[in-house]
Structure formats: C-alpha cells, structure tokens
Amino acid sequence: MLKFDEKKQRDSINGALNLRHEINKIADQLHAEGYKNICWLGIGGTYASCMQVVTHMKEKTALETFVENAAEYCTTGNHRIGKGTIVVISSVTGSTSEVIDGVRKAQANGAVVIGFVDVITTELAQMVDYEIAYPMNEQLKFFMLADRFMYLAGEFPRYDALYKEMEAHLADALIETEKEADAFGLAFAEKHKDDRMHYFVGAGNQWGATYSYAMCYWEEQHWIPTKSIHAAEFFHGMFEIIERDTPVTVFVTEDSQRVLGERVAQFLPRICGNYTIIDTAEYALDGFSKEFRGDISHLVIRVITNRIDMHLENINCHPMEIRRYYRKLEY
Amino acid sequence: MLKFDEKKQRDSINGALNLRHEINKIADQLHAEGYKNICWLGIGGTYASCMQVVTHMKEKTALETFVENAAEYCTTGNHRIGKGTIVVISSVTGSTSEVIDGVRKAQANGAVVIGFVDVITTELAQMVDYEIAYPMNEQLKFFMLADRFMYLAGEFPRYDALYKEMEAHLADALIETEKEADAFGLAFAEKHKDDRMHYFVGAGNQWGATYSYAMCYWEEQHWIPTKSIHAAEFFHGMFEIIERDTPVTVFVTEDSQRVLGERVAQFLPRICGNYTIIDTAEYALDGFSKEFRGDISHLVIRVITNRIDMHLENINCHPMEIRRYYRKLEY
C-alpha cells in the first residue's frame, strides 16, 4: 500500500495512548489545586484541533472551556484567560510565533500552560509550565487530556471503559480502516485530481478537521482550492452555488452531530451529481462499543483522507512537503 | 444612485438607535436581577452577527459570553446554558426552525431569552421572554445590548460618549460613506462580475460579516462561489493557492484586530495582482472620535459592500431575491 508503514502507525498510536499516565498526572494535580476554566489556544491546524476538542467536551461538560485563536488573543485579548485558567497548546515545530506570543501573554495574565510541543528543545517547550513531547497524534493527545478533566469533574463515568477499548483496539481499528479505504482513496484521487474547487462539509468533532483538511491539506499541500462548511450552516446560503458538477464531500460522523451530516448527505443527491459521502458507520472498528464509536469518528476519517492524500500526491506529481509561500517568504 | 433611498436609510438607522431605551430597560432589569453568562444564539447570517458581537465584547469584558450555533446546540447541547443564562437571538422572519428549537431548549434549561424578531406576530416572537421588533440593523441592535451590559458591569465608562456620537452622526456618516463608495462599488462589480471564485479576508468585528458576506450575499444571492478566511488564519494554509489572477478582497477595520488585516493587505501585492483592499480608515466618518471609529467598522464596510451588491445585481441581471433551493425545497 502506497506510503503505509503498518508497524510505524501502530507504534505511533500506541505510544500516544501511553502518554495517558503522564497526561493524567498533570490533570490530576491541576484538578486537585482547582481551576476556573480551560482554554484551547491554537492557530491554523492547531486552532482546528482546538475546535474539535471543545465540541467533544460540550457533549458532557459543564466546565467553562473554549477555543481561542492565538493571533486574535494577541490583539483583542480575552479577559476570561487569567489566574485559574489552564491554557492548552500544541505545536509540531515549537516555532509558531502567534502561539509563542499567546503563551507569553496568557502566562503574564496568570494562566498555567500545558504544552504538547513535539520538539522539547524549542523555546516554546521551555516556556510552558507542563510539557509533553511526543510526535503527531495531536487530536488524541488533546482528547485524552479533555477526557481526564471531565472524568475528574465526575462527568465521564465511562472513562475507564473507553480507554480500555482504546488501548486494546484503537491501533488495529485505524489500521484496518486505512487498508479498507485504500481503493476508495485511489478512486477519489483519480476522480478529483483536476478539481478547480472542492467543497468539504462536516460537523461535530469532525468540523475542525473538515476546516483543516480543506485548508492545511488540499490548499496548503495539494494546492487545490477548497471551501469547508459546517453541515449546520450548509443550508443557510452556501448550498445555492451547488450544481450538478460541483464536487462536494460530506463527512458523516457518529458523534452527537451525526444528524447534521446526514441531513446534508440525504439532500445532496437531489441537486448534485458529483458528491461523495464518507461515513464512519461503514467501517467495522472491531472491538469498539457503539457508545464509543463517535469519540473516535475524527480519527477514523483522518486515516481515510490520508489514503486520498497519498494517492493525490502521487497522481498529481505534487509532493505534499513543498510550499510556495509558507515560511518561504517574510510576512 | 442605484437603489439608494437616503431618507429611508436615515430613518432606518435612527429608528434602530432609538431602540436603546427599550433595550436598556431589559438589560438594566436583567443586570439588577443578576445573571451568569450571555449566549448569542444564531445560524447562518445571525450566527455571523453573533460572532461579531462576541469579538466586540472580548475587547472589554470579563463577563462570560459566547456564540452558539443553533443547530449545534440542538444536537450537542451546551451545559453552560441554563439558569442564569441570557440567550440573545435575532430573526427577520421568525421562522428559522433551528432557532425556534434552540430557544425552546434554552428556555427548558432555565435560560431567559431576548429576541430581536422583526415580525412580532410570529411564534418565535411570542416565545421569547423579551421581544424587540424592529426591521434590519441586526448588528446595531446586538451591539447596543452588548454595550449596555458592559456599561452596567463597569467595563465601558465611555458608553455615554459613544452613543452621543452615534445618535448625532451615525446615520450621516454611513450615508456619506455609501455615496463616496458608489463609484468604487460599480468598478468592483464590473471587474469581478464573472469571477469563478472570490476570496474575502477579514478580522475583528468584521470577521462574522466577512463570513456572511461571502456566504449570504455572494453565494446565496449572487450565486458566485466564495471562500471567506479570517486574516489570522490566512497565513496558515489557505494563501498557498493564491496566484497572480486569484480575486482576493481584504476588509481592514479600525478595531483591535486592525493589524491582522493590515498584515494580509501588505503581503498580498507580492503574490497577487487581482486584490482589493477595503479600509475603513479611508472614509471620513465625520463626527466620530478616533477611539470610537473601530466600534462601527463593520457598519462602514456593510454600506460599502452594499454598493457592490447593487451594481453586481444590476450588471449580472441576477435579482438578489431569487433562490434556487433555500425554502424552495424540503430538506
């Protein structure tokens, strides 16, 4: 299978799940000390991950928790971030200037910062109050932390049951999904390689991922224009420009917002002949109880879209690591 | 001037400003009774207005205030909405199903709802706890309410000074801006009438308006594809697909996020030959102090884009009131 290393993938996921003890130690301590609210601070792809975890938490929690865009925070500010705030950030390189500035500002205002900075030697990794260094798996790391805070708040009684299934089955479930999705990914890439524009629709814990898949993968890495739209918003304007040949992909998840994705998926065939539905319910996910399938919907869709990416890169002869402008120019 | 009725426009704005006494009566009472947080609930265009007012409030307030998408609230829920929550909604028709369901759910959970429902005879207008019926001027109504809550919380000492200027000068400032922008609107419409895709970039209290201008005006009413992107996010992926001929419009405001718009405006000429900068600082806004210009940036840009709309509608022979699907089909 093109650019697929099963062992590496399994080790990556299981290694991330193993961070739970380290994550819990931090969460347990902060919970014991008491806190006022939790702010997920990011920009670009990490901002998207923040949106995902907040939607996930909203299903269960009465804690005050919110997303903040790092550049907006550095300009407009946010008076809710201060003493008693736990700020959570993630960074692959540790060098994103808006996040560095945002962390500095939050700390100056009295917040405590937990960082998932992959490179432990960076300034950002040194700045944060609690640092966990492990590559990739950003959403998984965020969700583990969120789940622990909700468990400690008495809002997630089935926490242990979920992580028992995660540790026993997540790596295999995702690996099998990716294998199963390979033929689909190839067919999709062949069909859409020349798209002048592609629409991606998503909801729930997949919304942030829909936004970042369109922007950080197709636009940034494949150089194909896209628009992402929340399934809830689809019927409030955007759908007027959809016609027979408009390429539209809908991500349907199994979390609380499944009905929003289903509504778009059911409507589209009436007005469009060039749509694709990617529904996590069509994948086996062996070992996962029905009640927990929604909690990993975004991870399931990520491995499916990864198959699209690998084939699109290959067919379009466009290596995903090249950039025109990003970190190539001063701006 | 095409489709421009100066008297009607002046009366509309001054009539909206006159609502302040009615608005303040409600805000003063709720403040006196005490409340926990303020939720701005909307979908589509009203969701966008909610985003605008929350960004505006963030500059000043330590109150807990947030945006909630009505369809997401009806599925995922939000445990922060309950007893002690003031929910604010706006609706032109009073018939948007997601908002009706959202109001019902919020009230069942103990929240108090303030409605700006234009048609007082609708079910929605009857459902809300406090109703203010007045056509158009959605952002102005939201901002007046927000400003009053912040004033009462001791966070807006210059409140009276702002509204003195608003009542004396807002209508004229917007009318003069619209006249001044007419030639620009015509030239823009002629240049972009055939765009296959148009990018709109905005930040601050204009971000929600950027999102809805792209979606609710160009897509829904002109049937021209668009993508809106927050200026903070522009450099984090999307800009890779911009080339010489890509049509990009940047809205630059005078609120706290001005620097984010300026950053995009300064960078664009290096990679694009088909960009437009709409900067509120170029308009006189007679009678407004420098400190308050940012508070009306979104209103200033709205009348400028209105000139684009009127000419685009005319040139493209596409009446803005026609819809393909919205409320034409069941979905």
Side-chain angles (χ1 to χ4, degrees), chain B residues 176-209:
Chain B
E176 289 313 308
T177 299
E178 191 154 353
K179 286 179 184 171
E180 224 175 304
D182 188 54
F184 161 78
L186 174 60
F188 187 96
E190 278 171 345
K191 186 173 177 188
H192 295 289
K193 66 182 165 50
D194 295 317
D195 282 359
R196 287 199 310 225
M197 179 72 192
H198 197 104
Y199 290 87
F200 291 102
V201 186
N205 60 28
Q206 180 63 19
W207 162 241

Side-chain angles (χ1 to χ4, degrees), chain B residues 274-299:
Chain B
N274 193 14
Y275 66 87
T276 304
I277 312 296
I278 297 179
D279 185 347
T280 60
E282 291 172 8
Y283 291 85
L285 312 182
D286 284 339
F288 275 89
S289 315
K290 199 170 184 320
E291 66 173 313
F292 296 136
R293 290 177 60 100
D295 293 321
I296 61 164
S297 281
H298 59 298
L299 302 175

Side-chain angles (χ1 to χ4, degrees), chain A residues 220-223 312-320 322:
Chain A
E220 181 171 343
Q221 301 186 58
H222 297 302
W223 299 359
L312 199 55
E313 174 182 53
N314 191 41
I315 292 169
N316 279 354
C317 302
H318 182 102
M320 292 176 70
I322 59 172

Side-chain angles (χ1 to χ4, degrees), chain B residues 221-232:
Chain B
Q221 302 185 58
H222 297 301
W223 299 359
I224 298 175
T226 65
K227 174 158 182 159
S228 54
I229 184 83
H230 196 292

Side-chain angles (χ1 to χ4, degrees), chain A residues 44 58 61-62 68-69 76 79-80 211 226-227 233 240 242-243 256-257 270 324-326 330, chain B residues 44 58 62 68-69 72 76 79-80 211 226-227 233 240 242-243 256-257 270 324-326 330:
Chain A
K58 269 184 169 178
T61 198
E68 184 63 53
N69 183 290
T76 297
H79 295 274
R80 304 294 294 175
Y211 171 82
T226 65
K227 174 158 182 158
E233 292 281 286
E240 290 288 344
I242 292 183
E243 295 172 292
S256 61
Q257 293 184 25
R270 296 182 65 192
R324 277 189 181 110
Y325 315 125
Y326 187 66
E330 288 288 324
Chain B
K58 270 184 168 178
E68 183 64 53
N69 183 290
E72 291 192 75
T76 297
H79 295 274
R80 302 294 295 175
Y211 171 83
T226 65
K227 174 158 182 159
E233 292 282 286
E240 290 287 345
I242 292 182
E243 296 172 291
S256 61
Q257 293 184 25
R270 297 182 64 192
R324 277 189 181 110
Y325 315 126
Y326 187 67
E330 289 287 326

Side-chain angles (χ1 to χ4, degrees), chain A residues 2-38:
Chain A
L2 190 63
K3 282 186 145 185
F4 184 70
D5 182 334
E6 183 169 332
K7 183 182 178 305
K8 198 175 152 195
Q9 171 78 335
R10 178 172 283 106
D11 290 347
S12 171
I13 296 165
N14 286 331
L17 286 169
N18 268 335
L19 297 172
R20 199 153 63 88
H21 310 285
E22 201 179 330
I23 288 170
N24 289 359
K25 213 175 132 186
I26 298 167
D28 294 1
Q29 184 194 325
L30 291 172
H31 173 82
E33 291 169 2
Y35 61 93
K36 190 179 80 171
N37 52 27
I38 305 172

Side-chain angles (χ1 to χ4, degrees), chain A residues 43-44 47 55 58-64 67-69 71-72 75-80 96 98 196-197 199 211 214-216 218-220 223-230 232-233 235-243 256-257 259-260 263 267 270-271 323-326 329-331, chain B residues 43-44 47 55 58-64 67-69 71-72 75-80 96 98 196-197 199 211 214-216 218-220 223-230 232-233 235-243 256-257 259-260 263 267 270-271 323-326 329-331:
Chain A
I43 194 156
Y47 175 62
T55 301
K58 269 184 169 178
E59 281 192 39
K60 297 184 174 68
T61 198
L63 296 167
E64 184 191 357
V67 184
E68 184 63 53
N69 183 290
E72 291 192 76
T75 49
T76 297
N78 185 332
H79 295 274
R80 304 294 294 175
T96 309
E98 294 95 332
R196 287 198 311 225
M197 179 71 192
Y199 290 87
Y211 171 82
M215 182 170 81
C216 305
W218 279 51
E219 290 180 333
E220 181 171 343
W223 299 359
I224 298 175
T226 65
K227 174 158 182 158
S228 54
I229 184 82
H230 196 293
E233 292 281 286
F235 296 103
H236 292 272
M238 198 235 96
F239 74 157
E240 290 288 344
I241 56 89
I242 292 183
E243 295 172 292
S256 61
Q257 293 184 25
V259 293
L260 301 179
R263 190 182 181 205
F267 175 72
R270 296 182 65 192
I271 64 166
R323 299 288 180 277
R324 277 189 181 110
Y325 315 125
Y326 187 66
L329 296 173
E330 288 288 324
Y331 43 84
Chain B
I43 194 155
Y47 174 62
T55 301
K58 270 184 168 178
E59 281 192 39
K60 298 184 173 68
T61 197
L63 296 166
E64 183 190 358
V67 184
E68 183 64 53
N69 183 290
E72 291 192 75
T75 49
T76 297
N78 185 332
H79 295 274
R80 302 294 295 175
T96 310
E98 294 95 331
R196 287 199 310 225
M197 179 72 192
Y199 290 87
Y211 171 83
M215 182 169 82
C216 305
W218 279 50
E219 291 180 333
E220 181 172 342
W223 299 359
I224 298 175
T226 65
K227 174 158 182 159
S228 54
I229 184 83
H230 196 292
E233 292 282 286
F235 295 102
H236 291 272
M238 198 236 95
F239 75 155
E240 290 287 345
I241 57 89
I242 292 182
E243 296 172 291
S256 61
Q257 293 184 25
V259 292
L260 300 180
R263 190 182 181 204
F267 174 72
R270 297 182 64 192
I271 63 166
R323 299 288 180 276
R324 277 189 181 110
Y325 315 126
Y326 187 67
L329 295 174
E330 289 287 326
Y331 43 82

